[in-house]
Amino acid sequence: MKYIVRDLEKKIVELSRDYSCLLLSGARQVGKTTVLKQLADANRSYVTLDDIEERRLAQTDPALFLRLHGTPLLIDEAQYAPQLFPYIKIEIDKGAQPGAFWLTGSQNFKMTELAQESLAGRIALLQMPPLSAHEIYGSGEILPFSPAPEALTKRRGTGKAADAREIYERIWQGSMPGYVSGKFKDRDVFYSGYLQTYLERDITNVLKLSDSFQFRDFIRAAACRTGQLLNLHDMASDVGISADTAKRWLFLLEKSDVVFLLRPYSNNLLKRTVKTPKLYFFDTGLAAWLTKYETAEILMNGAINGAILENYAVSEIVKSFRNSAKECLLWYYRDKDGKEIDLVLETNGRLHPLEIKKSASPSPEIVKTFRLLDKAETPRGSGAVLCLKEELSALDADNYIVPIWML
């Protein structure tokens, strides 16, 4: 099995020179522990709180736990022992060296709260998504996506060109390191095990579920609606739960980095915009598996082919920012007259409108809706159509045709 270099590695090393404690959070099995072990030198001790005895000691006598293991130290699954955080704070305040503590956590809804309460101002927080297309297929420096011409020119040399069939193969394969790296070869068994682990370790204990199959059905209902406006009432009805329960379950899916919500863009000058977010999965492979598409070819011609292509494009943009440790200011636009822009990306004080199309020859008419943003308070910058064309091109001087493989 080949190690896949992660784009966050450079940022982890940089922040470890400035902060005594670094927390790397993210969904299960995205490679948090693997990357930190890869970067750790021989002096760094490693302990996982999946080990029941280590967990018990960390919970009952955190001072002794830290004294026994010393520093520098990598603590895996740190969310299992919140008792450690005040004692790590004490060590930092006593002068712990930069990079003394590396922590990982798979329950982001717990980890962020613990870190903010106990280690505010003393900890570097990074979120690791599943593998990006750049990490799997590309090379060179990671760049947050931007449709500015100079950024597109640089980005063209960091990816690997792909036609429509190959793009859908990437979507179907997904972005989980365990499967992409070849460590696990049976896709169905891999995702089945992944879902079971997620349910057992992150969800069942939090929700006290009496029927885990109902939660499985809820995740599947979410996958069937990827790339669509969120309708919790319909999802709840499909599964046979209340709308309040559906809201609580979706919150957990979002906080554990399985799904994310894209909010609508609006400001004081755009009053007729809708308020409902759109739903996406971080890993399109999981979404394709949940919706029972057995091959990439079937997926490419299936009912959700456009929605899951949109999901792939949006998630790759989000990953490009997370892997650069930068905030992603990304929305979609839709008003009550039905006018829509798939994505609105804000960078460097400009709004960049983006459309996503399952086409290799997008029409110039597509970008007419971009003028809607001229009413916004923030000036409009260059726009782009993200599509299945294989080469970077342009519709006009302000709007570009960007191959989805470049994301």
Side-chain angles (χ1 to χ4, degrees):
M1 181 187 72
K2 181 182 177 182
Y3 174 74
I4 299 173
V5 176
R6 304 306 298 264
D7 288 329
L8 264 177
E9 289 182 17
K10 181 180 178 182
K11 188 57 66 174
I12 291 169
V13 172
E14 288 177 358
L15 292 174
S16 293
R17 297 192 188 110
D18 298 333
Y19 290 86
S20 297
C21 187
L22 179 141
L23 168 61
L24 187 61
S25 65
R28 286 207 170 270
Q29 299 183 34
V30 296
K32 302 180 297 296
T33 306
T34 301
V35 71
L36 291 181
K37 282 186 171 181
Q38 180 74 16
L39 294 174
D41 59 32
N43 296 324
R44 186 175 296 273
S45 300
Y46 168 78
V47 59
T48 175
L49 298 189
D50 275 334
D51 184 309
I52 299 300
E53 287 303 313
E54 294 286 5
R55 186 188 306 182
R56 180 192 60 79
L57 180 60
Q59 291 173 342
T60 59
D61 197 339
L64 177 59
F65 174 91
L66 293 178
R67 191 160 63 248
L68 284 175
H69 290 290
T71 59
L73 176 62
L74 166 54
I75 305 175
D76 204 7
E77 304 295 359
Q79 76 276 359
Y80 288 131
Q83 298 85 351
L84 282 173
F85 283 71
Y87 287 85
I88 292 174
K89 175 181 179 293
I90 291 171
E91 293 300 315
I92 294 172
D93 290 345
K94 285 165 57 178
Q97 293 296 311
F101 299 99
W102 284 355
L103 313 177
T104 77
S106 298
Q107 296 177 358
N108 197 35
F109 50 92
K110 287 187 176 181
M111 292 299 292
T112 303
E113 182 180 341
L114 289 170
Q116 289 174 341
E117 286 179 357
S118 303
L119 294 168
R122 298 171 176 83
I123 187 169
L125 301 172
L126 291 174
Q127 287 181 284
M128 176 174 278
L131 290 164
S132 67
H134 177 262
E135 290 170 321
I136 301 171
Y137 309 104
S139 60
E141 183 184 0
I142 175 61
L143 301 168
F145 177 77
S146 169
E150 62 278 6
L152 290 174
T153 301
K154 290 180 181 178
R155 197 170 194 86
R156 179 164 49 185
T158 65
K160 181 182 178 183
D163 60 15
R165 189 174 298 275
E166 173 61 22
I167 289 294
Y168 275 92
E169 185 66 37
R170 295 179 182 185
I171 292 170
W172 183 84
Q173 176 180 255
S175 51
M176 299 302 289
Y179 181 67
V180 173
S181 69
K183 179 179 180 180
F184 302 105
K185 295 179 173 57
D186 190 309
R187 180 173 171 275
D188 288 337
V189 172
F190 173 79
Y191 276 114
S192 178
Y194 174 81
L195 184 58
Q196 185 61 38
T197 301
Y198 171 64
L199 287 170
E200 288 178 351
R201 296 191 179 185
D202 293 346
I203 296 301
T204 303
N205 291 335
V206 175
L207 293 179
K208 309 300 181 187
L209 289 175
S210 58
D211 183 2
S212 63
F213 289 103
Q214 230 178 6
F215 195 86
R216 285 172 180 262
D217 290 342
F218 181 75
I219 300 177
R220 184 165 288 111
C224 291
R225 292 167 172 79
T226 188
Q228 298 180 24
L229 290 177
L230 179 64
N231 190 324
L232 277 174
H233 184 271
D234 281 358
M235 292 172 66
S237 178
D238 283 356
V239 181
I241 57 176
S242 68
D244 285 343
T245 297
K247 184 177 181 180
R248 189 167 71 253
W249 288 4
L250 181 69
F251 173 81
L252 290 176
L253 284 177
E254 184 181 12
K255 291 303 179 182
S256 50
D257 283 338
V258 174
V259 305
F260 63 97
L261 300 179
L262 191 67
R263 267 74 186 184
Y265 180 80
S266 65
N267 63 31
N268 293 333
L269 300 179
L270 298 169
K271 299 181 184 297
R272 290 180 52 78
T273 52
V274 301
K275 306 300 181 185
T276 307
K278 295 177 77 172
L279 175 69
Y280 298 96
F281 275 66
F282 271 109
D283 177 31
T284 55
L286 177 60
W289 178 79
L290 286 166
T291 48
K292 304 301 181 185
Y293 284 93
E294 295 184 358
T295 68
E297 185 176 3
I298 295 173
L299 178 63
M300 185 170 67
N301 296 296
I304 67 168
N305 61 27
I308 205 162
L309 181 68
E310 178 178 324
N311 190 147
Y312 180 76
V314 176
S315 65
E316 287 301 319
I317 292 172
V318 173
K319 289 175 188 177
S320 76
F321 278 83
R322 282 202 177 186
N323 286 335
S324 303
K326 295 183 182 297
E327 183 181 9
C328 184
L329 300 177
L330 188 67
W331 305 272
Y332 79 95
Y333 175 92
R334 181 179 293 182
D335 62 28
K336 294 177 182 178
D337 297 322
K339 297 175 182 176
E340 183 175 5
I341 301 171
D342 288 338
L343 295 173
V344 178
L345 174 66
E346 183 175 348
T347 61
N348 297 317
R350 298 272 175 174
L351 296 178
H352 298 280
L354 309 171
E355 281 291 317
I356 304 166
K357 296 297 178 186
K358 190 194 174 191
S359 167
S361 303
S363 165
E365 300 295 312
I366 292 173
V367 300
K368 284 186 176 180
T369 56
F370 291 178
R371 299 170 191 164
L372 294 167
L373 295 181
D374 292 340
K375 300 177 183 178
E377 296 166 337
T378 306
R380 175 161 66 101
S382 56
V385 180
L386 314 177
C387 65
L388 296 176
K389 189 179 180 68
E390 294 184 48
E391 296 292 335
L392 178 65
S393 185
L395 291 169
D396 54 48
D398 297 315
N399 297 292
Y400 300 91
I401 299 174
V402 179
I404 284 176
W405 64 259
M406 280 181 55
L407 299 177

